[in-house]
């Protein structure tokens, strides 16, 4: 898969002033961005998060998932370190899109878990594709990642795509009564590395 670099700009946030880099997937026309802080092209492993778009969690403060909590914690961790990057991929609803995500949420309201809801709509549990990441990282001169994730399949997919993931760091935040069963399903059915579901700070 080929990505085309478009442009960069400064992005001041409550966490830090990042540089935002825009890319286009030339095959699909899909747009993605990378936020960077500090010198990420110095050859040293970079603290990083690969985050799939979640409008409900990232922008609308949904408590049904841990996405918004993870996004904020990742940006704070990068700011605290003074160096790092966040790849923001436009893959809403683990790849099924926003409207299908609403349909899946409706099924979850009626008792399905997050995996069953996708399957009832005719989708796989996770349709995300991380093949665009290597091209974006290559453009930015990034050689290796210290990846903040709880998802073993994400680590595997990035490595299969040629990305050197030298360390996996847990990102467990935001568990609450509205997403407890969702997180339990991610651990039991999707294999996510999560600690005890009794811990209120797990996500």
């Amino acid at each position: 898969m080929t990505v085309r670099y478009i442009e960069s700009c400064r992005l001041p946030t409550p966490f830090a002033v990042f540089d935002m880099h825009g890319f286009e997937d030339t095959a699909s026309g899909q747009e993605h961005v990378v936020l960077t802080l500090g010198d990420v092209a110095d050859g040293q492993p970079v603290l990083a998060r690969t985050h799939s778009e979640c409008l409900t969690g990232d922008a609308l403060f949904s408590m049904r998932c841990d996405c918004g909590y993870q996004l904020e914690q990742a940006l704070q961790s990068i700011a605290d370190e003074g160096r790092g990057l966040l790849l923001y991929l436009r893959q809403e609803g683990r790849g099924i899109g926003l409207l299908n995500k609403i349909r899946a949420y409706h099924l979850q309201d009626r008792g399905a878990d997050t995996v069953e809801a996708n399957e009832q709509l005719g989708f796989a549990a996770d349709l995300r594709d991380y093949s665009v990441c290597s091209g974006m990282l290559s453009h930015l001169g990034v050689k290796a990642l210290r990846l903040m994730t709880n998802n073993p399949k994400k680590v595997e997919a990035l490595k299969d795509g040629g990305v050197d993931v030298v360390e996996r760091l847990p990102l467990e935040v935001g568990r609450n009564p509205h997403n407890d069963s969702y997180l339990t399903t991610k651990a039991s059915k999707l294999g996510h590395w999560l600690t005890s579901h009794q811990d209120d700070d797990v996500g």
Side-chain angles (χ1 to χ4, degrees), residues 10 18 27 36 46 51 61 72 85 90-91 113 130 151:
R10 302 288 275 173
F18 293 91
T36 62
V46 180
H51 190 89
F61 312 106
E72 290 192 19
L85 64 85
R90 308 294 299 281
Q91 304 190 106
D113 65 34
Y130 300 100
N151 185 352

Side-chain angles (χ1 to χ4, degrees), residues 105-197:
Y105 276 174
H106 174 71
L107 293 173
Q108 290 174 45
D109 288 342
R110 300 177 67 178
D113 65 34
T114 183
V115 170
E116 292 166 346
N118 274 30
E119 292 173 344
Q120 288 175 26
L121 291 172
F123 300 109
D126 193 340
L127 293 173
R128 288 176 293 181
D129 181 357
Y130 300 100
S131 59
V132 297
C133 296
S134 60
M136 293 189 287
L137 294 171
S138 177
H139 175 85
L140 296 169
V142 176
K143 301 300 183 184
L145 302 182
R146 297 166 50 229
L147 190 67
M148 293 180 280
T149 185
N150 305 321
N151 185 352
K153 292 182 180 178
K154 183 183 294 185
V155 176
E156 181 181 348
L158 288 171
K159 288 183 175 180
D160 288 345
V163 177
D164 187 10
V165 180
V166 299
E167 184 180 5
R168 198 279 301 187
L169 301 169
L171 190 59
E172 301 187 21
V173 290
R175 185 180 286 274
N176 65 74
H178 302 283
N179 67 20
D180 184 75
S181 62
Y182 163 80
L183 293 174
T184 299
T185 298
K186 286 213 297 186
S188 63
K189 291 191 174 182
L190 298 176
H192 286 216
W193 292 303
L194 295 173
T195 54
S196 170
H197 69 272

